[in-house]
């Protein structure tokens, strides 16, 4: 890469940052929450402003729905629990879930639904069908609620506990493939 090519890339990156900042201001003026924009922009440097606007609108609609609001609460609960346990254990719980170690019906159902939702959301995102991706996430609400109602994450059995924490990490990763929900306030 020559000096000129590097300069062009730097200029293009600067222009994208400038345009993204201008879009944030424009969307804020239209009443779009800044944290929704931040949740979308945290995943990728979006170079298509129309696509960014559509993605933010889909996120906004999702979070304004009952399923979206409740799933956000469950996401935070899962993320916070994993974070606390990672800190306490000085370990990471971003690993793979061992399906054979799933014991309770609620954790088995949640794991199966996570696999299904991830595929649906990935396909929808590739097709730029952002509302479809959000609708896929909404399918997690019932099994996530059931999991938290029925399952003790911090079980005495260390392998079971670790696997359940990995399952909570899977919830976090699945949702964060669509938007960085940690950026959403309130």
């Amino acid at each position: 890469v020559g000096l000129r090519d590097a300069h062009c890339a730097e200029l293009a990156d600067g222009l994208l940052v400038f345009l993204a900042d201008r879009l944030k201001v424009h969307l804020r003026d239209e009443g779009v929450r800044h944290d929704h924009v931040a949740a979308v922009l945290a995943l990728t440097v979006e170079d298509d402003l129309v696509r960014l606007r559509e993605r933010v609108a889909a996120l906004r609609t999702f979070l304004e729905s009952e399923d979206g609001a409740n799933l956000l609460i469950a996401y935070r609960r899962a993320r916070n629990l994993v974070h606390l346990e990672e800190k306490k254990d000085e370990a990471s719980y971003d690993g793979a879930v061992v399906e054979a170690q799933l014991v309770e019906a609620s954790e088995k159902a949640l794991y199966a639904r996570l696999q299904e939702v991830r595929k649906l959301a990935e396909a929808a995102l590739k097709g730029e069908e952002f509302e479809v991706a959000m609708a896929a996430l909404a399918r997690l609400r019932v099994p996530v609620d059931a999991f938290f109602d029925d399952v003790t994450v911090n079980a005495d059995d260390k392998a079971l506990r670790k696997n359940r924490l990995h399952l909570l990490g899977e919830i976090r990763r699945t949702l964060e493939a669509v938007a960085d929900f940690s950026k959403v306030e309130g």
Side-chain angles (χ1 to χ4, degrees), residues 93-104:
Y93 292 111
D94 277 337
V97 174
V98 179
E99 190 172 2
Q101 290 181 353
L102 298 173
V103 178
E104 303 289 333

Side-chain angles (χ1 to χ4, degrees), residues 121-140:
E122 285 174 0
L125 290 173
K126 282 181 185 171
E128 298 181 11
E129 297 173 308
F130 305 117
E131 291 172 357
V132 173
M134 298 299 168
L137 292 183
R139 297 177 66 154
L140 287 171

Side-chain angles (χ1 to χ4, degrees), residues 25-38:
V25 171
H26 177 73
L27 291 173
R28 186 183 64 225
D29 290 345
E30 288 184 354
V32 177
R33 291 176 35 176
H34 70 89
D35 56 328
H36 293 178
V37 176

Side-chain angles (χ1 to χ4, degrees), residues 139-152:
R139 297 177 66 154
L140 287 171
R141 180 182 172 199
V142 171
V144 167
D145 287 349
F147 175 84
F148 281 123
D149 288 344
D150 301 341
V151 176
T152 301

Side-chain angles (χ1 to χ4, degrees), residues 7-166:
H7 180 68
C8 256
E10 186 178 308
L11 186 60
D13 288 346
L15 182 59
L16 285 175
V17 169
F18 172 77
L19 290 174
D21 286 343
R22 294 302 313 145
L23 181 63
K24 285 182 198 177
V25 171
H26 177 73
L27 291 173
R28 186 183 64 225
D29 290 345
E30 288 184 354
V32 177
R33 291 176 35 176
H34 70 89
D35 56 328
H36 293 178
V37 176
V40 170
L41 287 176
L43 292 183
T44 182
V45 176
E46 183 63 75
D47 62 351
D48 183 325
L49 300 181
V50 172
R51 187 171 48 227
L52 173 65
R53 184 185 198 124
E54 290 172 358
R55 197 169 182 153
V56 170
L59 177 63
R60 177 178 159 179
T61 300
F62 174 67
L63 291 173
E64 289 173 350
S65 73
E66 182 180 345
D67 284 340
N70 287 326
L71 195 56
L72 179 62
I73 292 167
Y75 162 83
R76 287 180 176 150
R77 184 175 178 189
R79 189 189 87 219
N80 291 340
L81 183 55
V82 169
H83 178 73
L84 288 172
E85 296 304 310
E86 285 176 335
K87 194 172 185 179
K88 183 177 87 176
D89 298 343
E90 296 180 358
S92 172
Y93 292 111
D94 277 337
V97 174
V98 179
E99 190 172 2
Q101 290 181 353
L102 298 173
V103 178
E104 303 289 333
S106 295
E107 63 188 332
K108 290 177 183 179
L110 174 57
Y111 180 75
R113 183 61 57 91
L114 280 165
Q115 305 315 303
E116 171 190 319
V117 165
R118 182 179 306 104
K119 289 177 187 171
L120 291 170
E122 285 174 0
L125 290 173
K126 282 181 185 171
E128 298 181 11
E129 297 173 308
F130 305 117
E131 291 172 357
V132 173
M134 298 299 168
L137 292 183
R139 297 177 66 154
L140 287 171
R141 180 182 172 199
V142 171
V144 167
D145 287 349
F147 175 84
F148 281 123
D149 288 344
D150 301 341
V151 176
T152 301
V153 175
N154 286 320
D156 292 332
D157 180 318
K158 290 183 192 263
L160 191 60
R161 175 183 174 272
K162 180 180 177 182
N163 202 50
R164 288 176 176 168
L165 287 166
H166 284 298

